[in-house]
Amino acid sequence: MSYRTQVITVFGGSGFIGRHLIRRLAKSGAVVRIATRNPAKAAFLKTAGAVGQIVPFATDCGKDESVARALQGADIAINLLGVLYERGSQSFQGVHVDAAARIARLAKAAGVGRLVHLSAIGADAASPAAYARSKAAGEQAVLAAFPTATILRPSIVFGPEDNFFNKFAAMAQKAPVLPLIGGGKTRFQPVYVGDLADAVVAALDLDSAKGRTFELGGPRIYSFKELLELMQKDIQRHRPLVTLPWNVAESLAGFLEKIPVLAPALTRDQVAMLKRDTVVAPDALGFKDLGITALASCEVILPTYLSRFIVGGKYNGQTGNAH
């Protein structure tokens, strides 16, 4: 892939997925504009490319004129915007539906050639979770405005800055037990952030990806319980796993939601999400259709970043000669 003369605008590019994608896009030679509310927070990504190649760009995705400025002269647009819970002005409707529709509409108006939109497995207008319903509404709005957009729906995404394994590893350091919500039977197909970034780049390269939706899951399906066991093995902790029935989890989440912290430990909407598996549908297009076959597994990647949660450090308890 070479986009030497092209401009790529990435919305939400300073987040967890964005930082991995920006590094891959920089290798293509394109000028990458990171459209973000806080350009200072994206400044660290400038070093991923040549001087002047990666440009943090102050953008308010709630305003047409701001989004239009970020898209001016762009050849490609990528929308990674997403929130896992609602806080203040950051609502599911505002981020997943309104901003997504605005980006698609203004990208079309600006003559942008390709649009890749990041959604999520489980996006469904009939879902019990507001998060999943808003993701489905966002997809519809994007395709209505930009029919050749490519929609990518990953399962839970893991990697160094993820919101899943890091959260439970931190919890395992402090809490006497870990909760198995609904018995821990919910199934996931975790996808490595590097593989997801590769999928975005592949989608830009393939004409066959235009107007299509791809479900992206890793090489293996695990239950919620299996993922917690795997995480504990990697951090050398063994907290008891205690089943939290659905109704108890909902009541607890209702209480935790009200605590004025930056990120709530659990929300009722997240409990609703856990009632459905997050795995690739049997008939869905996936990684293979994007030409990607070698996928990283949790077993290989997790130890590379969860080792910081091991008491005494990663080599504690290991014997042998130092080299």
Side-chain angles (χ1 to χ4, degrees):
M1 172 187 97
S2 176
Y3 293 118
R4 257 187 216 293
T5 58
Q6 308 228 318
V7 175
I8 303 175
T9 299
V10 184
F11 293 88
S14 59
F16 162 46
I17 294 164
R19 61 186 68 189
H20 291 265
L21 175 61
I22 300 295
R23 290 187 189 113
R24 278 163 174 72
L25 293 176
K27 288 179 188 157
S28 74
V31 169
V32 182
R33 247 181 233 159
I34 304 172
T36 174
R37 276 179 309 166
N38 188 340
K41 278 194 179 159
F44 73 97
L45 285 164
K46 285 185 187 178
T47 56
V51 174
Q53 188 190 359
I54 294 167
V55 187
F57 201 88
T59 308
D60 179 349
C61 290
K63 293 186 175 150
D64 273 23
E65 61 274 20
S66 188
V67 171
R69 257 199 312 277
L71 288 164
Q72 198 171 0
D75 301 282
I76 293 167
I78 299 168
N79 179 16
L80 304 177
L81 294 174
V83 288
L84 294 169
Y85 50 85
E86 299 186 295
R87 268 285 186 268
S89 64
Q90 298 285 91
S91 69
F92 291 147
Q93 175 70 32
V95 177
H96 297 159
V97 188
D98 301 343
R102 182 174 291 110
I103 289 164
R105 172 171 55 82
L106 294 169
K108 196 71 184 163
V112 169
R114 296 297 292 262
L115 171 63
V116 174
H117 174 79
L118 195 69
S119 184
I121 286 183
D124 178 3
S127 172
Y131 171 89
R133 292 196 300 274
S134 70
K135 282 287 192 183
E139 289 183 5
Q140 286 184 315
V142 165
L143 289 172
F146 203 118
T148 58
T150 301
I151 309 281
L152 300 181
R153 294 177 171 173
S155 182
I156 57 166
V157 184
F158 69 94
E161 308 89 7
D162 72 41
N163 209 36
F164 185 86
F165 290 107
N166 282 299
K167 177 172 161 175
F168 285 107
M171 205 184 280
Q173 285 189 311
K174 298 184 184 122
V177 298
L178 289 179
L180 284 179
I181 296 164
K185 295 183 182 73
T186 311
R187 298 186 314 144
F188 296 95
Q189 198 169 344
V191 57
Y192 173 52
V193 66
D195 292 334
L196 177 56
D198 286 342
V200 175
V201 173
L204 295 176
D205 268 355
L206 291 174
D207 276 347
S208 59
K210 286 181 179 176
R212 290 190 152 161
T213 298
F214 297 82
E215 296 205 343
L216 304 175
R220 215 188 120 190
I221 292 170
Y222 308 79
S223 68
F224 183 48
K225 182 183 181 194
E226 285 172 330
L227 288 177
L228 290 188
E229 286 169 345
L230 188 61
M231 175 276 297
Q232 292 219 83
K233 185 171 133 257
D234 283 331
I235 67 166
Q236 298 170 21
R237 292 260 177 174
H238 299 284
R239 302 292 192 213
L241 302 175
V242 176
T243 292
L244 212 56
W246 293 114
N247 59 341
V248 175
E250 276 155 14
S251 302
L252 176 64
F255 166 72
L256 292 172
E257 276 176 352
K258 295 183 177 69
I259 301 171
V261 290
L262 211 54
L266 187 66
T267 67
R268 282 169 296 182
D269 202 63
Q270 286 166 350
V271 174
M273 284 285 288
L274 284 169
K275 290 184 175 175
R276 290 194 176 182
D277 293 338
T278 307
V279 298
V280 173
D283 55 346
L285 294 170
F287 273 113
K288 271 202 195 90
D289 304 282
L290 292 168
I292 298 169
T293 49
L295 299 173
S297 70
C298 288
E299 284 80 359
V300 170
I301 303 288
L302 291 184
T304 65
Y305 65 94
L306 290 183
S307 57
R308 67 193 178 90
F309 291 100
I310 298 172
V311 177
K314 124 188 287 193
Y315 303 107
N316 187 40
Q318 293 186 7
T319 55
N321 299 322
H323 293 290

